Amino acid sequence: MNDREFQASVARSENLSESSRRTRTWKKPKSISDSKARFPGFHQRKTHYKTGQVVKAGYKALSIDVIMHESVPMKLSDGTTLYCDIFLPARFEDLDGTHGDKQRVPAVVAWSPYGKQGGTQILSDYPFHCGVPPSSVSSLQKWEGPDPAFWCSYDYAIVNVDTRGTFTSEGDAHLLGHQEAKDGAEFVTWLSRQKWCNGKVGLSGNSYLAAAQWYIASLRPEGLAGIAPWEGLMDMYKDVVCAGGIPDTAGIDIITSAFAGQGRLEDIVAAANGDGSGSGYDKYWQDKRAVVERINVPVYTVASWTSIFHTNGTLKAWRLVPDSVPKWLRVHNIQEWPDYYEHRNTMDLKRFFDWCLKGQQTDWKSTPKVRLSILNFGMTLQEDTIERAEHDFPLARTKYTKYYLQPDKTLSLTPPFSHSELSYNTNRNNSLIFEYTLPHPIETTGYPHAHLIMSTTSTHNEIDIFVQIEKFSPSHYRQGTLVLRPKFGPQYALLKFIHDWQIGMSKLGLLYHWGSDGRLRASYALDKDEASTEYEPSYSFTERAMLKAGEKRVLDVPMRAYGMYWEKGDILRFTVSGRPVVPLGLPGAKGPATENEGVHFVGVGGRGEESSCLVLPVV
């Protein structure tokens, strides 16, 4: 993308952002005085942390002296003031002092609405401390952000920002769109011009902090020299709140309900339910898609096979970054938090930032372009992460193999000769379950999808379809994988008991991963968008066409990318249902409000488009 095309693209984003204002709805965020906001109070001061100091009992002692400049103001071009905390090596007593070129340091920004200190979420809010041993971090880090104690010891600054409308930063909180991208871009440029900064800024963090990087980097701000998005969406509608065109707001509602501020908070839930956005993928939601094709700085992306929110969005964003841009991908097989704070991974990220923010001649450029850790389902105390190098993703050697649905509810490599139909009743929460016993070991790594020919009763005109792949042992024992790996035997024994007996999953679901899933609203199964490929179908969701009586509609249902080993004798179970097969594993989370009614029919057998099948990426 040349400069002229870039400017035209930015102008289109600004127009989308402006036109979406007419439909934006708001709600009141949590008060900063609420105890759950954990607001430490507004202070503009310097705090000195000393070598050997334990900031919070049970956490890691500091290895060097660190100074925090608290609530440093930055004024945006529209007059809105943001506040940030800047952590630096102790020699930076004065932010406005004169520093020689060799003394200046690069800045790494943690951009999010969670709070720059303490905040609405912390690691200890979740089971097993999110899989992050307290002794491995200093407690100075914001939620899902880099630990200042580590980075300052290597001559970096860590900058924690309260975004527009959160805590004491002014304005109304806009969530992941052009406005937030513009705020972040202005902040990056301002930061790069500070006297203590070497002129180079990086972005780091996981989840929201990762998603924000795609948006900010798309505007190519002056001073930005590298980003490291660690599992974050790039399209609010397609990746999370309306995946497959089906509104599912439980997760985003739980997350955003914790946001604290003094202005208004954009109501994403109301937008997803149609109260503010109109129908389908309109201008409001187009503004919520990061234009990653504009990015022109080095990118180190980390994804996982196991994230219910981030997998497909992260992998899609990485693929859409131009190939002319230096980019690397690592896909792990656990949860995002332990992976982000694992020492070897932090050192890996340091090599990347040493190269692009400090200009050091490290060995980073010899890092394989793609590194993958493949899932091996089953409960073991310690599953070592074994990475292998690849040239690209998806893998060029992939053989997209069709497993055809059979009338006897099995799967086969050949379609039934004659056409027939199977059915399930959505009013009774029934499902169709198909099984296939592996005759030999295989690996499935990449994008599976379901190709289904479906219809519904003549009295109803919509189908919301959910599909799931699961792994069972030869004795029909359901196999999952533990994605928060405990360090102690008693903890593991408890988690193995939960896994074996399948209990408490509604509260502990994020501890486990059960396989790839997908969903699609049939009325949107019309035009595929420009990102659609043979291995990852993607619809535009701009128009709906309800089903007519007796109509058979071809549904290509995209599923979560994954990499998994299968042993000889393993049973592959494929489920077609009118509701999620594996519920969202967050306490209190309700499932999506579907538009299903009556009986769904799935056509099996026949030739060509008449043959429903599961397509697996076999390598």
Side-chain angles (χ1 to χ4, degrees):
M1 183 179 289
N2 60 38
D3 288 344
R4 185 173 181 178
E5 292 172 330
F6 169 70
Q7 294 301 332
S9 181
V10 171
R12 285 194 295 272
S13 292
E14 290 174 344
N15 289 336
L16 281 174
S17 182
E18 185 61 33
S19 64
S20 71
R21 292 178 191 277
R22 296 193 303 272
T23 59
R24 202 177 301 272
T25 56
W26 305 91
K27 64 180 181 180
K28 188 174 181 180
K30 188 183 298 296
S31 169
I32 61 175
S33 62
D34 189 307
S35 60
K36 293 182 179 179
R38 298 188 179 96
F39 179 53
F42 182 78
H43 308 284
Q44 291 184 302
R45 61 189 178 187
K46 292 180 285 189
T47 301
H48 297 80
Y49 298 99
K50 299 296 184 180
T51 302
Q53 180 178 348
V54 176
V55 178
K56 189 175 181 180
Y59 286 77
K60 188 176 183 179
L62 273 63
S63 62
I64 64 162
D65 290 359
V66 175
I67 187 168
M68 178 183 72
H69 295 265
E70 187 174 356
S71 296
V72 177
M74 180 270 171
K75 184 165 288 191
L76 297 166
S77 59
D78 67 357
T80 301
T81 299
L82 305 183
Y83 291 96
C84 64
D85 293 344
I86 303 175
F87 293 85
L88 285 156
R91 68 178 182 273
F92 293 95
E93 180 75 24
D94 183 0
L95 292 179
D96 294 323
T98 300
H99 304 283
D101 290 345
K102 293 184 178 180
Q103 285 189 310
R104 294 172 186 159
V105 296
V108 176
V109 176
W111 180 277
S112 78
Y114 294 117
K116 53 189 176 62
Q117 290 181 58
T120 57
Q121 298 186 67
I122 56 177
L123 292 169
S124 57
D125 286 342
Y126 297 91
F128 306 103
H129 207 255
C130 289
V132 181
S135 59
S136 67
V137 289
S138 71
S139 81
L140 292 178
Q141 74 281 351
K142 69 183 297 184
W143 171 244
E144 300 181 324
D147 185 358
F150 172 88
W151 290 97
C152 289
S153 70
Y154 289 100
D155 251 12
Y156 284 88
I158 294 298
V159 184
N160 293 343
V161 189
D162 280 341
T163 56
R164 178 189 291 262
T166 63
F167 290 87
T168 54
S169 287
E170 298 174 353
D172 297 324
H174 296 245
L175 303 181
L176 295 179
H178 184 75
Q179 181 62 64
E180 185 158 18
K182 188 170 182 291
D183 290 351
E186 289 187 17
F187 185 86
V188 165
T189 298
W190 170 81
L191 200 62
S192 71
R193 296 172 179 174
Q194 300 307 296
K195 292 182 178 180
W196 52 265
C197 183
N198 72 350
K200 294 185 177 182
V201 178
L203 303 174
S204 181
N206 67 280
S207 194
Y208 195 105
L209 288 77
Q213 296 180 50
W214 298 119
Y215 293 80
I216 294 169
S218 73
L219 294 185
R220 300 181 180 178
E222 175 192 332
L224 186 65
I227 64 172
W230 222 275
E231 297 200 52
L233 61 91
M234 61 158 280
D235 189 317
M236 184 75 82
Y237 182 101
K238 296 182 180 181
D239 294 343
V240 178
V241 297
C242 291
I246 304 172
D248 189 356
T249 58
I252 200 70
D253 189 28
I254 291 171
I255 293 169
T256 59
S257 293
F259 292 174
Q262 301 178 95
R264 299 180 299 173
L265 173 65
E266 186 175 3
D267 195 340
I268 293 292
V269 173
N273 291 328
D275 293 343
S277 69
S279 177
Y281 197 67
D282 62 4
K283 290 182 178 179
Y284 177 86
W285 293 111
Q286 291 172 44
D287 178 58
K288 299 296 184 187
R289 184 222 190 255
V291 190
V292 295
E293 296 89 341
R294 296 176 183 153
I295 292 175
N296 65 348
V297 296
V299 178
Y300 173 27
T301 305
V302 176
S304 75
W305 310 116
T306 60
S307 173
I308 57 177
F309 296 124
H310 303 142
T311 298
N312 283 350
T314 304
L315 293 171
K316 182 186 295 182
W318 182 81
R319 291 202 322 271
L320 291 176
V321 171
D323 289 334
S324 59
V325 174
K327 61 179 183 178
W328 292 265
L329 172 68
R330 182 172 64 82
V331 186
H332 64 86
N333 58 8
I334 57 175
Q335 271 286 15
E336 58 203 80
W337 308 290
D339 183 83
Y340 183 69
Y341 292 108
E342 174 70 37
H343 180 71
R344 65 182 174 187
N345 298 332
T346 307
M347 292 300 294
D348 199 48
L349 179 58
K350 176 184 172 295
R351 288 171 53 236
F352 172 70
F353 279 150
D354 284 349
W355 169 69
C356 64
L357 301 188
K358 289 187 174 182
Q360 293 182 1
Q361 297 303 309
T362 69
D363 61 350
W364 175 260
K365 291 197 73 174
S366 64
T367 300
K369 183 179 180 182
V370 174
R371 289 173 285 170
L372 305 179
S373 297
I374 307 303
L375 292 162
N376 194 353
F377 280 14
M379 292 289 291
T380 58
L381 180 56
Q382 294 295 333
E383 294 185 50
D384 292 333
T385 298
I386 301 175
E387 290 182 350
R388 72 169 188 238
E390 297 285 355
H391 296 293
D392 213 335
F393 185 85
L395 307 179
R397 63 183 180 276
T398 304
K399 295 180 180 178
Y400 293 96
T401 306
K402 295 181 179 180
Y403 292 80
Y404 292 94
L405 280 56
Q406 305 293 312
D408 63 355
K409 298 182 182 178
T410 61
L411 297 170
S412 173
L413 293 173
T414 58
F417 180 76
S418 60
H419 178 76
S420 60
E421 289 186 332
L422 301 174
S423 65
Y424 60 93
N425 192 326
T426 63
N427 295 339
R428 298 176 183 175
N429 289 329
N430 291 341
S431 302
L432 286 174
I433 296 174
F434 302 85
E435 292 188 342
Y436 179 80
T437 301
L438 275 296
H440 51 76
I442 65 170
E443 177 188 331
T444 52
T445 295
Y447 292 90
H449 75 273
H451 177 79
L452 303 175
I453 291 80
M454 297 195 65
S455 59
T456 186
T457 53
S458 59
T459 58
H460 196 58
N461 59 3
E462 184 62 280
I463 297 174
D464 286 341
I465 184 70
F466 298 83
V467 294
Q468 178 82 42
I469 296 171
E470 296 173 279
K471 179 179 178 180
F472 283 71
S473 70
S475 57
H476 274 82
Y477 168 71
R478 188 187 188 201
Q479 299 287 295
T481 187
L482 183 63
V483 292
L484 289 183
R485 312 247 171 95
K487 304 296 183 183
F488 305 105
Q491 292 180 345
Y492 168 75
L494 172 62
L495 293 177
K496 188 176 189 306
F497 176 82
I498 293 170
H499 172 275
D500 291 351
W501 291 91
Q502 309 283 295
I503 60 173
M505 301 311 297
S506 62
K507 294 184 178 180
L508 298 171
L510 293 183
L511 295 174
Y512 306 92
H513 174 67
W514 301 103
S516 178
D517 63 303
R519 60 184 63 184
L520 182 64
R521 175 161 284 176
S523 61
Y524 280 124
L526 300 168
D527 299 327
K528 293 186 171 75
D529 63 21
E530 68 283 353
S532 187
T533 67
E534 65 170 316
Y535 52 81
E536 188 187 15
S538 177
Y539 292 93
S540 63
F541 301 105
T542 54
E543 296 182 14
R544 293 182 74 177
M546 311 307 290
L547 278 73
K548 299 176 183 178
E551 177 188 355
K552 292 179 173 60
R553 186 163 294 186
V554 176
L555 309 181
D556 288 318
V557 187
M559 302 182 70
R560 189 189 327 185
Y562 77 119
M564 190 163 75
Y565 295 118
W566 302 78
E567 302 296 336
K568 179 180 178 180
D570 283 342
I571 298 170
L572 186 159
R573 175 176 288 187
F574 175 61
T575 303
V576 180
S577 179
R579 69 187 192 282
V581 178
V582 178
L584 178 64
L586 290 174
K590 297 180 180 180
T594 70
E595 295 186 8
N596 288 326
E597 182 70 32
V599 178
H600 291 173
F601 300 93
V602 179
V604 298
R607 297 176 181 273
E609 289 293 300
E610 296 179 359
S611 299
S612 293
C613 60
L614 171 65
V615 183
L616 294 182
V618 179
V619 297

